[in-house]
Amino acid sequence: MEERSQYNSPGYTTFKMKMKKLIGIDLNSYKEQIHRRTHELMSRWKCKTYDEYFDMINKDEKKLREFLDHLTINVSEFFRNDSQWWKMRDKLIPELIQKRGSKRLKLWSAGCATGEEPYSLAILSAVCGLDTMNPVLAVDVDQGAISIAQKATYRKTQLLNVPKEYLAKYFTTKNAGETYEVNQEIKRRVSFKRMNMIDDNFGSGYDLILCRNVVIYFTADTKAKLYKKFFDALAPGGYFLVGSTEQIFGYQQIGFESAGPFLYTKK
C-alpha cells in the first residue's frame, strides 16, 4: 500500500509533470514497473523527495542518462531472437519484394534504442539487395540512445548472433577485436530520428515495422493506441513484428491478421 500511495502522491505527480517538460515523455503512459525503477534510483542516490531527485537529474547529465536507460530499457544485441531475423531474410523480405515488384521497401525500427536492431535490419536490407534510396527508419524517444547508435561501435558480446560472414563483411574490428564498428555501407542504410511514438505522427506506407520489447512497458490504454497507429502506418500486405514475449490481444478488432508467432499483417 505504501508503494502504491507513492504513485498517487502529489510529489510524484509534480515529478512526472517536470519530467515531461524536461524529456518530452509522459510517465503516465508507463506501467508501474517503470515507476518502481524511479524509486530504485532514488534509493540508490539516497534522495528522500521527488524534488531532490529531479534537481539531481536536471543538473547531472550522467544521472539523466541513467534515468532514461532505466526508463526505456536500452538493452539489445544484434539479431536478437535470431530465428525471427532469418525468417525476415529468407521469407518476409523476398515475399515483399515480389508483392511490390520492387526492391525499394519501406522498413522501420520503432524504439531502436542504441541501434542494434536497425543495423541488423540494414544488414538484411543489404543481403536481400534492397534499394539504398530507402534507408531503414530508426526512431527512439531517447536522443542520448540515438547518439550512441550513430557512433555504431559495439562490444563483442553484443554480436554473438551475427553470422561470421556478416561480421567479416559489414563490421570493422577495433581494440584488438574487443569492439566492432558498423561499416559505412550499413550506416548509410539507416536514418535515425527522435520520435515520441505516443504523440508523434507515424506516416504511412511501411512494408515492415519492427516494434519489439517496447510496448510491453506501456499501460493497456497506451498499447491499444499505439497498435492502432502501427496498423494505420502499415501498407496493405505489410508486416508488423513484435517481441518474442508479446502478443496483441484483440488484434482482429484493430484489423490485423496473424501471420505467425509474434507476426501480424494488414490485408
Side-chain angles (χ1 to χ4, degrees):
M1 289 296 294
E2 181 181 354
E3 187 178 76
R4 181 168 292 278
S5 68
Q6 289 179 323
Y7 300 147
N8 301 320
S9 72
Y12 191 59
T13 299
T14 301
F15 175 81
K16 289 186 287 186
M17 291 171 61
K18 288 180 177 179
M19 289 305 299
K20 186 172 184 181
K21 289 182 180 178
L22 180 65
I23 60 176
I25 299 173
D26 185 357
L27 298 183
N28 289 312
S29 300
Y30 288 82
K31 294 193 293 189
E32 289 181 357
Q33 68 187 78
I34 297 294
H35 299 162
R36 283 196 292 271
R37 292 192 173 105
T38 302
H39 299 291
E40 290 168 5
L41 290 172
M42 288 176 66
S43 296
R44 179 182 300 176
W45 298 112
K46 297 180 173 54
C47 293
K48 295 181 179 178
T49 68
Y50 296 105
D51 285 343
E52 184 182 353
Y53 184 52
F54 178 80
D55 288 343
M56 177 182 286
I57 58 181
N58 190 32
K59 294 172 183 175
D60 188 329
E61 181 68 29
K62 288 184 179 179
K63 297 291 193 303
L64 177 59
R65 171 87 261 134
E66 179 188 58
F67 177 82
L68 288 169
D69 284 344
H70 271 64
L71 179 70
T72 54
I73 322 299
N74 292 326
V75 177
S76 190
E77 59 186 323
F78 280 78
F79 299 109
R80 185 178 184 182
N81 306 120
D82 59 347
S83 62
Q84 292 183 338
W85 290 95
W86 313 146
K87 182 176 181 178
M88 281 187 267
R89 178 193 62 191
D90 300 334
K91 182 178 185 295
L92 301 187
I93 293 176
E95 183 182 293
L96 285 166
I97 292 170
Q98 186 174 20
K99 280 182 184 177
R100 308 307 190 216
S102 169
K103 289 193 173 183
R104 184 173 292 185
L105 301 181
K106 199 171 179 180
L107 312 179
W108 180 14
S109 170
C112 67
T114 48
E116 294 88 338
E117 179 177 276
Y119 286 131
S120 296
L121 191 53
I123 289 171
L124 295 194
S125 168
V127 170
C128 294
L130 295 185
D131 194 322
T132 57
M133 294 297 290
N134 264 21
V136 174
L137 175 63
V139 308
D140 201 274
V141 72
D142 183 354
Q143 184 60 52
I146 290 173
S147 296
I148 293 169
Q150 288 172 323
K151 293 176 183 175
T153 301
Y154 299 93
R155 299 185 305 276
K156 182 168 60 175
T157 53
Q158 294 171 280
L159 293 100
L160 297 178
N161 290 329
V162 180
K164 289 181 180 179
E165 62 270 27
Y166 294 178
L167 205 57
K169 187 172 183 179
Y170 300 117
F171 294 85
T172 302
T173 58
K174 304 176 72 175
N175 301 321
E178 288 304 309
T179 59
Y180 288 76
E181 183 176 357
V182 178
N183 71 14
Q184 289 300 321
E185 177 188 356
I186 300 305
K187 286 181 184 178
R188 285 194 294 268
R189 286 180 175 268
V190 181
S191 175
F192 289 98
K193 176 184 176 183
R194 185 187 182 278
M195 176 187 283
N196 183 331
M197 291 193 294
I198 296 169
D199 298 326
D200 293 346
N201 184 278
F202 282 5
S204 61
Y206 294 97
D207 296 295
L208 176 62
I209 302 174
L210 276 59
C211 186
R212 309 190 315 150
N213 309 304
V214 176
V215 177
I216 53 174
Y217 300 109
F218 291 117
T219 62
D221 286 347
T222 303
K223 282 183 183 180
K225 177 182 176 181
L226 285 171
Y227 286 141
K228 179 63 167 63
K229 288 179 73 174
F230 281 123
F231 177 81
D232 291 341
L234 201 63
Y239 290 103
F240 178 53
L241 182 67
V242 299
S244 58
T245 60
E246 301 174 74
Q247 57 179 311
I248 304 176
F249 295 104
Y251 65 88
Q252 291 167 315
Q253 283 71 36
I254 299 171
F256 284 118
E257 291 187 14
S258 175
F262 322 113
L263 183 67
Y264 301 88
T265 188
K266 178 179 182 177
K267 292 294 185 183

